[in-house]
Amino acid sequence: MTSSAPTLVFFSNTDDPAPWQAAIAAAVPSVTFRVAPDIGPLDAVRYALVWKPPRGWLAQFPNLRAILSLGAGVDALLEDPALPPGVPITRMVDAGMGRQMAEYATYAVMHFHRHMQRYSALQHEARWAPLEPVAASRFTVGIMGLGVLGAQAAQMVASLGYPVLGWSRTAKQLPGVEVLSGNDALPGFLASTRLLLNFLPLTPATRGVIDARLLGMLPRGAFVVNLARGGHVVEADLLTALDRGHIAGAMLDVFDQEPLPPTHPFWRHPAVVVTPHVAAVTQAEDAAAQVISNLQRLERGEMPTGLVDRGAGY
Ligand code: NDP
Ligand code: OXD
């Protein structure tokens, strides 16, 4: 063991450490905040607050007591073969992302339901061509993954009058949402879905779930919106389904490879909307309180909240 003051190391290539440092220094002054690569003595590091650290990076701290994820999804952490065993991992639970994800999902539903993709193409051709309206009550939205974020999107979309179906691993009840669970229920869920929203965590059980088979179970002309992880989608299968017109449009925020390479066909596909992994962005202003509360618990020798189940993968 070490006698140095406990240190928290911060690693992220996309998050500004400054607001985290200010909030944590004010609330938990007993913990020294360091930003990678200036990590100080390795044996003083008790906590790691991270987003996508390089594989093996966390294994260098012999006294690590907790890994605090800056994101809600922890797939990148769990894929590290050198992830220190037995160290608790926490994730962001909502932390301001529920509202952002629900907004993105609602926008996507209205974009496709109100034919905005087709009107945008018509505008490029200067064509005045009203399309047949579809009642919201006949445009069923199916949500895969009804956890902290999916449930909020389900409620926001349902509040606008769209029928909402949810699908999750275990059964649950959600006001205004018909919930199906388990693999046996998937075909029925898909057959009734006009627009699919993916809110699943990326785990060994869900990798590649949006493949040719699943897409084939959606009705012809359905839409696919992925705001969870690129690894859920077999990109070649989605492109084929789009090119054949079986899937009429897709809005994609996450990709197998990020940033999406400039030559990737999604960029130029007329039926695809691409956004750069921004459906929800962790904001220190909303999320620091959760990290602070967990650091305080850990400093008192208690277990943190928002624990990841390593076995389940989320
Ligand atoms: P949760 O862990 O709260 O919810 C996950 C949901 O998925 C649960 O309903 C769970 O079922 C369900 N699920 C898990 N495995 C399966 C399975 N094999 N079959 C069916 N259902 C399954 O996660 P969050 O809602 O907090 O986050 C969801 C994901 O959103 C994150 O993992 C992340 O990848 C993504 N994300 C993307 C962002 C972006 O900007 N694009 C931002 C933030 C998050 P059950 O309830 O039965 O356990
Ligand atoms: C997350 C993300 O998981 O930003 O929080 O994708």
Side-chain angles (χ1 to χ4, degrees), residues 71-75 91-94 97 101 144-151 167-172 182-183 198-203 205-206 226-229 232 253-254 277-281 312 314:
V74 289
D75 43 288
R91 69 184 195 94
M92 288 297 169
V93 180
D94 189 336
M97 285 187 273
M101 292 287 269
M144 294 203 296
L146 275 189
V148 174
L149 304 178
W167 180 73
S168 58
R169 197 170 54 86
T170 58
K172 49 181 74 359
N183 287 338
N198 179 32
F199 273 88
L200 290 168
L202 184 60
T203 70
T206 64
N226 187 19
L227 26 51
R229 286 290 182 266
H232 288 124
D253 185 54
V254 284
H277 199 144
V278 290
V281 177
Y314 67 103

Side-chain angles (χ1 to χ4, degrees), residues 228-248:
R229 286 290 182 266
H232 288 124
V233 174
V234 179
E235 294 183 345
D237 290 0
L238 178 57
L239 280 165
T240 302
L242 286 160
D243 289 342
R244 291 185 179 156
H246 181 72
I247 298 300

